[in-house]
Amino acid sequence: MIIRIFFLPLLVLLVLSCKPKAGEVESGESAGPVSVPETYFSNLFIRDCCGFTGGDGTYSVFLPDGRTVWIFGDTFLGTVNPDKTRKRLSPMFIRNSFVIQDGDSLRTLHQQRPTHDVSMVVPPAPAGGQELPEDSVWFWPGDGLMEDGKLKVFMSQFTQLDTGMWDFHWQKTWLATFSLPDIVQESLVEIPYSELNQVHYGHAVLEDESFTYI
């Protein structure tokens, strides 16, 4: 027992003493990881018009026909000027969109109203009421998956509580289902457990042969 007590700290000290000092590189070793810009997807998604021109919160799902659906959160539409500015739209951005990649081509999916653009998926209107504006209640998307020939995407509902930029609050999680190959929304189902246990489901999906982990 005494040998073990004193031997382990000594071993740690010996290992630490063998480590090179900051800035030193041992012979034959590289100076560290090297970052290289990914040019293909950068060139594909840096666009100046015609649908998606910027977004965040990115997920992707590979579809059975070889296409990929890219799922974005806040999404800029409209034209980007040569000086990298953009015309201010109303709304300035929508809260979610899908971009369908088919080879080297992209097609942006979202809803439209007579006077303005709308997100691909919006929260249901209150009973007997009109659709709520997306600066008050909205969906930010989570991960997606294929199940029974359908595309399913988790949607997190947020509401704006006050006027500050960060004065929003997560409320609940929904699951949206889309038909294929046309990618039309078929249903939107609230996940009841999210309000009961306050678990924010759907930020990542892992599938294996037996289970789907969310």
Side-chain angles (χ1 to χ4, degrees):
M1 180 65 66
I2 296 176
I3 294 176
R4 289 178 179 175
I5 290 174
F6 287 98
F7 175 73
L8 289 176
L10 179 60
L11 179 61
V12 172
L13 289 173
L14 288 173
V15 171
L16 291 175
S17 67
C18 294
K19 292 179 64 178
K21 296 180 181 179
E24 293 182 351
V25 178
E26 293 187 14
S27 176
E29 292 186 359
S30 64
V34 177
S35 346
V36 179
E38 206 299 315
T39 56
Y40 174 75
F41 286 107
S42 295
N43 293 334
L44 191 65
F45 280 94
I46 296 178
R47 297 150 52 89
D48 57 11
C49 75
C50 315
F52 174 93
T53 54
D56 65 3
T58 314
Y59 293 91
S60 65
V61 178
F62 188 69
L63 301 180
D65 60 7
R67 296 177 299 164
T68 297
V69 55
W70 295 88
I71 304 164
F72 287 97
D74 291 341
T75 300
F76 285 103
L77 304 169
T79 302
V80 178
N81 301 318
D83 63 356
K84 306 305 180 185
T85 61
R86 64 173 72 238
K87 180 180 178 180
R88 189 180 183 90
L89 303 177
S90 181
M92 185 166 61
F93 50 81
I94 57 177
R95 296 297 190 168
N96 60 77
S97 70
F98 290 177
V99 176
I100 310 304
Q101 179 189 359
D102 189 357
D104 292 336
S105 69
L106 299 180
R107 180 168 62 97
T108 305
L109 301 183
H110 63 89
Q111 298 187 51
Q112 289 181 302
R113 301 292 181 263
T115 59
H116 60 284
D117 295 311
V118 180
S119 293
M120 180 67 176
V121 187
V122 296
Q130 296 182 341
E131 184 178 273
L132 297 172
E134 291 191 70
D135 58 359
S136 62
V137 179
W138 66 90
F139 282 147
W140 274 329
D143 206 349
L145 69 153
M146 288 294 307
E147 184 179 76
D148 298 328
K150 309 284 187 180
L151 170 65
K152 301 194 173 186
V153 181
F154 289 92
M155 291 286 168
S156 297
Q157 180 176 324
F158 286 83
T159 185
Q160 189 74 26
L161 299 176
D162 209 336
T163 57
M165 177 182 295
W166 305 108
D167 292 333
F168 56 82
H169 176 71
W170 169 80
Q171 288 185 299
K172 62 184 76 172
T173 305
W174 302 70
L175 188 66
T177 299
F178 301 86
S179 61
L180 293 176
D182 49 354
I183 312 182
V184 172
Q185 183 177 326
E186 291 185 337
S187 64
L188 180 65
V189 178
E190 180 183 344
I191 298 177
Y193 313 108
S194 61
E195 287 191 285
L196 295 173
N197 57 25
Q198 295 298 299
V199 174
H200 197 157
Y201 291 103
H203 277 291
V205 173
L206 173 65
E207 299 174 85
D208 65 17
E209 294 179 355
S210 304
F211 297 98
T212 298
Y213 300 91
I214 61 171

